[in-house]
Amino acid sequence: MNNRILLVDDNEQFLAETEAALSERGFTIIGKAADGEQAVELINALSPDAVVLDLVMPKTDGFTVLEQIDTKSVRVLVLSALSQDAFIAKAASLGAAYYMVKPCSMDSLAARLKDLSVSAPTPQPAVKAQSISRPQINKSLDEKITNIFITVGIPAHIKGYQFLREAIKMAIDNPDIINSITKRLYPEVAERFDTSPSKVERAIRHAIEVAWNRGKIENINSLFGVRVYNHNEKPTNGEFIALVADKMLLESV
């Protein structure tokens, strides 16, 4: 198996966790890059068998990396929180061999990297977009929530992302739970993730604050079709969970 892997992502925790998980599964991590410029340098210097590439990064984004490397000689698996078909098609047209949407399990990532080693690159023309292996992107509840998080600026790598998504799904299944956020919602989310209710509350609060600090208030107002908030106010955890859950219910999810 071709198993020399280069990891490219601007989140240090994600890089460390992915390196550990793939190493346990028989892969050799020969390098890690935190931005696109460094990624291009390491790809040219190390000639990895495969690259796990994020798209949204400082200095140079993943699309530019694809443009600057020889995708005929190195297989690229894009792993990104961007799940829209347009991004997948663009990555494919630039030579990506596979596209996965964050968050994903490490077992799934390892399986896709093994798939790439089976279909190793040859001196033939680059893989065409229509032949790319990629997930079937359907409008599942998870994806709709993920797309909302992308729009409002909540990054996939922080803990509050997972907690918040689970809380929204619970509020969709049982709208009354939003009235017992401290006694029921936080404890149930905590139980599912083997953590404490207080850590769930703090992580969700942090996720919402990250979105507001990124200044994407207009995206939020556009998403919900009304001017819900301004730059000087932030929703409470319960307000934000209820707002997204209501939007999903109105769209008959």
Side-chain angles (χ1 to χ4, degrees):
M1 179 177 70
N2 297 325
N3 65 355
R4 299 170 63 255
I5 309 299
L6 175 69
L7 302 177
V8 183
D9 198 290
D10 63 339
N11 182 264
E12 292 183 5
Q13 181 179 349
F14 176 81
L15 285 176
E17 291 175 353
T18 304
E19 178 180 22
L22 292 179
S23 296
E24 290 176 357
R25 289 162 175 80
F27 295 91
T28 300
I29 308 305
I30 62 170
K32 294 179 289 184
D35 61 70
E37 288 183 3
Q38 186 182 22
V40 172
E41 293 176 0
L42 290 179
I43 290 168
N44 292 332
L46 302 176
S47 299
D49 297 316
V51 177
V52 177
L53 176 69
D54 191 16
L55 291 179
V56 181
M57 295 181 296
K59 296 184 180 179
T60 300
D61 62 31
F63 292 123
T64 304
V65 172
L66 287 168
E67 291 173 340
Q68 294 181 353
I69 65 174
D70 181 8
T71 54
K72 295 187 294 293
S73 60
V74 59
R75 306 289 272 175
V76 178
L77 184 155
V78 172
L79 179 57
S80 172
L82 303 176
S83 61
Q84 290 88 340
D85 285 332
F87 295 121
I88 297 171
K90 182 174 181 179
S93 70
L94 294 174
Y98 210 100
Y99 195 111
M100 298 185 72
V101 177
K102 290 180 179 177
C104 73
S105 73
M106 288 298 107
D107 285 338
S108 295
L109 177 60
R112 298 296 78 77
L113 288 171
K114 289 178 182 177
D115 289 344
L116 294 187
S117 71
V118 171
S119 54
T122 67
Q124 304 301 317
V127 177
K128 295 182 179 179
Q130 61 265 31
S131 65
I132 190 171
S133 298
R134 70 179 202 179
Q136 293 297 315
I137 301 299
N138 53 48
K139 291 298 180 181
S140 66
L141 178 59
D142 278 349
E143 187 193 351
K144 287 183 178 181
I145 295 173
T146 296
N147 286 340
I148 287 176
F149 287 179
I150 293 170
T151 300
V152 304
I154 298 175
H157 65 268
I158 61 176
K159 287 187 179 297
Y161 179 101
Q162 296 280 15
F163 298 161
L164 186 55
R165 185 170 68 174
E166 192 67 24
I168 291 167
K169 290 163 66 176
M170 291 168 61
I172 292 169
D173 291 337
N174 180 12
D176 287 341
I177 201 171
I178 203 67
N179 297 318
S180 303
I181 189 168
T182 301
K183 292 183 178 179
R184 291 181 55 200
L185 191 144
Y186 291 154
E188 290 186 25
V189 172
E191 184 177 357
R192 297 182 187 188
F193 288 91
D194 193 26
T195 186
S196 68
S198 61
K199 288 182 179 179
V200 169
E201 188 277 331
R202 289 196 300 269
I204 290 177
R205 166 53 38 190
H206 173 66
I208 295 171
E209 288 178 348
V210 167
W212 255 250
N213 291 338
R214 288 185 170 191
K216 295 195 174 184
I217 308 302
E218 291 308 316
N219 288 10
I220 295 167
N221 291 328
S222 297
L223 181 70
F224 294 104
V226 293
R227 181 167 290 279
V228 184
Y229 297 103
N230 61 46
H231 290 274
N232 298 319
E233 59 182 352
K234 301 173 188 175
T236 64
N237 290 3
E239 287 172 346
F240 187 81
I241 292 166
L243 192 66
V244 178
D246 285 346
K247 178 177 175 59
M248 298 291 97
L249 287 169
L250 289 172
E251 293 178 353
S252 300
V253 173

